[in-house]
Amino acid sequence: MDRRDFLKTSLASSMVLGAPAFAADKKTSNVQYQLRGTDVYGKPLDLKEYLGRTVLVSFFTFDCTVCSHDLKLMRDFYLRNVKKKFVLLGVNIDQNKKDLDEYNDATTLAYPKDQRFPTVWRFAPGHQDNFGSLGSTPTHFVLNPKHQLMFKRDGAFLPEDWDNLWLSLP
């Protein structure tokens, strides 16, 4: 039995026994998260469009080395799993929109269109979300298909986070 099969079996066993499969804050696990805004291309974005899909919402800044590393790995995960009802959403938290514009220009040149994921600026007029204040940069939220918190990671995504994310997909 390889690691992935073992993890799937363990996850299924924990669900049958009623044990929590992911380490989520019980106070927020039943909250239905919301996010509305305009993406970097001017298109309206609403998290509700992605109901029924597992969503990774990543809050990042342009100049954060950890963010850049995580986003590279997340982009790869996104490409491999987009057909499994997985969505990656980026939320830029730079105070200055110019920094987001520079990031967007660089990613537009560096990645083909099918490798880009929706990104919004948290400080844009009209932006709304209920993710609250962030403890660190980056901060990642993994939401189930009902947009309830499965787990949250302050800082870099850890190896077990990738396993938990992968196991959450249908």
Side-chain angles (χ1 to χ4, degrees):
M1 176 181 293
D2 69 17
R3 182 175 183 208
R4 296 244 187 249
D5 289 337
F6 172 77
L7 289 169
K8 283 182 185 177
T9 303
S10 298
L11 178 64
S13 297
S14 69
M15 292 172 100
V16 169
L17 297 174
F22 300 102
D25 178 354
K26 292 184 181 186
K27 292 179 185 174
T28 59
S29 62
N30 290 326
V31 170
Q32 185 175 14
Y33 282 86
Q34 299 174 1
L35 186 152
R36 280 185 296 247
T38 303
D39 75 7
V40 294
Y41 299 104
K43 179 182 171 190
L45 183 136
D46 191 332
L47 184 61
K48 288 180 182 180
E49 295 173 33
Y50 304 107
L51 277 170
R53 298 180 188 193
T54 299
V55 180
L56 169 56
V57 180
S58 182
F59 290 81
F60 72 97
T61 61
F62 173 69
D63 62 351
C64 167
T65 304
V66 174
C67 301
S68 295
H69 180 261
D70 275 5
L71 287 174
K72 181 180 179 200
L73 296 173
M74 289 174 183
R75 179 176 279 109
D76 184 55
F77 188 90
Y78 169 72
L79 289 173
R80 294 174 193 265
N81 294 287
V82 70
K83 292 181 181 173
K84 295 181 181 177
K85 294 190 175 188
F86 171 72
V87 175
L88 171 59
L89 298 177
V91 181
N92 181 273
I93 55 174
D94 283 304
Q95 294 292 320
N96 183 347
K97 175 127 178 352
K98 183 180 176 199
D99 292 335
L100 172 59
D101 292 340
E102 287 179 24
Y103 168 80
N104 185 50
D105 290 344
T107 58
T108 299
L109 293 173
Y111 300 105
K113 191 173 186 172
D114 67 334
Q115 293 183 19
R116 296 182 218 141
F117 50 87
T119 303
V120 297
W121 184 43
R122 194 175 202 193
F123 302 107
H127 177 91
Q128 297 175 344
D129 72 55
N130 64 342
F131 288 88
S133 60
L134 307 174
S136 67
T137 304
T139 299
H140 310 290
F141 295 80
V142 176
L143 308 178
N144 69 17
K146 294 180 181 179
H147 296 166
Q148 297 166 327
L149 183 67
M150 293 173 59
F151 67 94
K152 174 184 173 185
R153 173 64 60 207
D154 290 313
F157 229 52
L158 301 177
E160 61 264 25
D161 297 334
W162 292 110
D163 290 337
N164 289 334
L165 178 57
W166 187 80
L167 289 170
S168 73
L169 300 177

